[in-house]
Amino acid sequence: MLLHDPAPRSGSQMNGGRFDFDDGGTYCGGWEDGKAHGHGVCTGPKGQGEYSGSWNFGFEVSGVYTWPNGNTYEGQWQKGKRHNVGIENKGRWVYKGEWTQGLKGRYGVRESLTSGAKYEGTWANGLQDGYGSETYADGGTYQGQWLRGMRHGYGIRYSVPYGLASHYRPKITGLRQSLTSLRSGEEGEVGHERDKKLDESRGGFVLKACSDDTHSRRKSLSEKKATLKKSIMAGLRIKKQRSTGDIYKRSNAASVTGSIRSTNSATSASGTSQTSSQSGLTTASMYTDSNLSFISQDDIADTNVTESYSGEWKNDKRAGFGISDRSDGLRYEGEWYNNKKYGYGVTTFKDGTREEGKYKNNVLVVSAKRSKLFMLRQSKIRERIDSASSATSRASQIAQQKGEIAIQRMQTARQKLEEAEAVAKQARDDSQGARVNAKQFAPDFHQPG
């Protein structure tokens, strides 16, 4: 903020004094050429908010700014904006690092004071951007690329043991709390809602063991016509009334041999089978509609199992080509979309068996083993699987490289953290000097801070 020509109600041109502004704010401290200069304290309208520190002809230089809601900034300024390095305390989050024209960037560390979750890396326009490392509340990590506050590009995600991660998974509440919320906070409800939605995809367990291996092949045109004709004729016939015993027998048979999943069912869309004993979702986690990347896995018996993913990310989720490994032997390499197997890929199960083909929402819809009668079609499927495998290997290698760069950026961010702590100490000293100076000019001046 620039302070000049205050039209003071008391005092005159001098080296310092107290000046009361028409909006209810007050400046008390040094003054030169009609502008705040030296050390002084300035309060906002009606005494709300305060900056105390050093000034240079109307602009803040080094000091402490306290907002009406209690948030603080300790550090350096340039032309009325936070600039160079400093520390921001905002709610349960603290940011230590560089600032550019009032926004976080380029290197800095943001950490939760309650959960220990933190981000260390590069920033742009106040958001995580470029390369960085994120550590989650449960201890899991992500190293890789970022874009506008989201994991985007190439990166590596390492989970903690399943037993530990399960304690941090979201509880069933209307708020749908995030596993490890770590977002670059924005003022207002819009930023809060955005942060909450993005935080719903921060977990480490995504890979599922189950897959629908009973998906029927696509019907030919003649088969479709025959099916349509049968359905029309069946609708015209008077159906035979069945006894209660018949219904009981049919329901038992369906429960043993049938699948509730149909082509248009919502269950199929979410990639879960209500009849499979290997379903990747339990009732407790199904409320998330599979959007959370912590998916409770029924097939994990060992709580020490971990999961890793190296590959492509888009908009904070696994999307593109990547490899996901679980320490119990489950592995998938291929295409992803929205944290699910989507496209061509290969799944290796814990017993060593393999499943190859095309997936959609974690469901195998085209198998490489089902097209033996159609050699040309089978050849094309094999070609696409091999192509996806090669692309996945390249993506994993690039992710490893980007992860190493992210670790280097993390080290630089930690250096800026130490620099910010030293600058913040100087800012607090300047703040204290400003208060002493203000006390000398106006002993009766009430200093909010």
Side-chain angles (χ1 to χ4, degrees):
M1 93 182 69
L2 174 64
L3 290 182
H4 65 92
D5 299 330
R9 296 177 181 174
S10 61
S12 58
Q13 294 293 332
M14 61 181 73
N15 291 330
R18 171 174 176 166
F19 302 92
D20 298 316
F21 299 91
D22 293 335
D23 63 1
T26 300
Y27 173 79
C28 192
W31 200 267
E32 188 170 330
D33 292 337
K35 300 175 183 178
H37 190 75
H39 286 78
V41 178
C42 183
T43 62
K46 299 181 181 179
Q48 295 185 354
E50 174 202 77
Y51 170 81
S52 57
S54 60
W55 298 78
N56 183 45
F57 294 104
F59 289 108
E60 304 93 329
V61 177
S62 171
V64 178
Y65 197 103
T66 304
W67 279 265
N69 60 5
N71 295 335
T72 63
Y73 171 78
E74 303 169 338
Q76 298 171 325
W77 299 72
Q78 185 180 85
K79 295 183 178 180
K81 295 182 179 179
R82 293 174 284 181
H83 193 79
N84 203 0
V85 291
I87 296 177
E88 177 193 65
N89 286 278
K90 189 174 184 180
R92 64 188 181 92
W93 296 100
V94 58
Y95 171 83
K96 301 179 181 181
E98 291 185 300
W99 295 79
T100 303
Q101 296 299 313
L103 297 173
K104 299 178 182 70
R106 181 175 180 224
Y107 290 95
V109 176
R110 188 168 186 251
E111 183 174 5
S112 169
L113 298 174
T114 55
S115 69
K118 62 182 175 181
Y119 170 82
E120 305 167 286
T122 59
W123 300 72
N125 299 319
L127 296 171
Q128 300 97 317
D129 198 286
Y131 294 88
S133 174
E134 190 169 54
T135 303
Y136 304 96
D138 62 5
T141 60
Y142 168 84
Q143 286 111 25
Q145 293 181 293
W146 295 77
L147 180 66
R148 293 190 292 273
M150 292 185 288
R151 296 171 294 186
H152 193 96
Y154 293 88
I156 307 171
R157 176 69 164 93
Y158 295 104
S159 78
V160 293
Y162 182 77
L164 177 60
S166 62
H167 290 294
Y168 286 86
R169 70 190 179 105
K171 299 177 181 178
I172 305 178
T173 65
L175 297 177
R176 291 170 52 149
Q177 301 171 356
S178 67
L179 179 65
T180 55
S181 31
L182 182 59
R183 287 287 120 209
S184 190
E186 294 180 355
E187 297 290 348
E189 291 297 322
V190 175
H192 175 71
E193 289 299 319
R194 184 210 64 169
D195 293 348
K196 185 173 68 173
K197 290 178 181 179
L198 293 178
D199 285 340
E200 291 178 355
S201 57
R202 315 300 273 183
F205 285 86
V206 172
L207 186 60
K208 296 174 61 179
C210 78
S211 177
D212 187 0
D213 199 32
T214 60
H215 189 85
S216 59
R217 67 175 178 85
R218 189 183 305 172
K219 294 182 179 180
S220 65
L221 182 61
S222 59
E223 288 175 326
K224 289 181 179 179
K225 288 182 178 179
T227 302
L228 178 62
K229 183 177 179 180
K230 286 182 180 180
S231 62
I232 294 174
M233 295 302 295
L236 296 176
R237 290 198 209 98
I238 299 177
K239 295 182 179 181
K240 175 184 175 182
Q241 181 66 39
R242 297 185 180 277
S243 65
T244 305
D246 292 334
I247 296 175
Y248 177 75
K249 291 177 181 178
R250 284 173 59 84
S251 63
N252 280 345
S255 65
V256 174
T257 62
S259 174
I260 298 179
R261 182 187 286 105
S262 65
T263 304
N264 298 321
S265 70
T267 306
S268 177
S270 64
T272 59
S273 173
Q274 296 181 21
T275 59
S276 173
S277 62
Q278 293 182 331
S279 173
L281 285 177
T282 63
T283 306
S285 62
M286 197 172 292
Y287 79 98
T288 62
D289 194 26
S290 299
N291 287 332
L292 286 165
S293 31
F294 182 94
I295 298 178
S296 185
Q297 307 286 9
D298 291 343
D299 65 309
I300 297 181
D302 185 359
T303 57
N304 293 318
V305 169
T306 60
E307 180 175 317
S308 65
Y309 172 82
S310 60
E312 292 183 273
W313 299 75
K314 289 182 177 64
N315 298 325
D316 222 39
K317 296 182 179 181
R318 307 179 190 189
F321 294 97
I323 299 175
S324 184
D325 270 303
R326 274 198 347 215
S327 59
D328 60 0
L330 183 64
R331 174 187 176 93
Y332 172 76
E333 46 187 316
E335 294 180 89
W336 296 78
Y337 178 72
N338 199 30
N339 278 339
K340 297 176 182 178
K341 294 184 282 188
Y342 204 109
Y344 289 92
V346 179
T347 299
T348 303
F349 296 99
K350 292 182 285 186
D351 59 3
T353 59
R354 287 161 59 93
E355 177 183 82
E356 302 175 305
K358 184 178 181 180
Y359 292 85
K360 185 175 182 180
N361 294 325
N362 285 333
V363 178
L364 185 68
V365 294
V366 177
S367 174
K369 297 180 180 180
R370 294 197 191 106
S371 304
K372 294 180 179 180
L373 298 178
F374 304 92
M375 301 303 296
L376 180 61
R377 176 174 170 81
Q378 185 180 19
S379 176
K380 289 183 178 180
I381 293 175
R382 169 51 54 191
E383 180 180 344
R384 291 173 181 173
I385 292 174
D386 293 341
S387 176
S389 179
S390 299
T392 299
S393 297
R394 289 194 301 270
S396 179
Q397 292 175 2
I398 295 174
Q400 296 287 341
Q401 297 170 359
K402 301 301 183 182
E404 292 175 1
I405 296 174
I407 293 176
Q408 295 174 3
R409 300 292 189 270
M410 177 185 70
Q411 298 297 335
T412 304
R414 290 179 177 178
Q415 295 174 4
K416 293 299 178 181
L417 176 148
E418 295 177 357
E419 185 178 338
E421 290 177 338
V423 168
K425 182 181 183 303
Q426 179 60 49
R428 291 192 295 271
D429 292 340
D430 288 329
S431 173
Q432 186 60 33
R435 295 186 185 282
V436 173
N437 207 30
K439 193 72 173 178
Q440 292 175 351
F441 285 115
D444 59 339
F445 171 57
H446 172 66
Q447 302 180 26

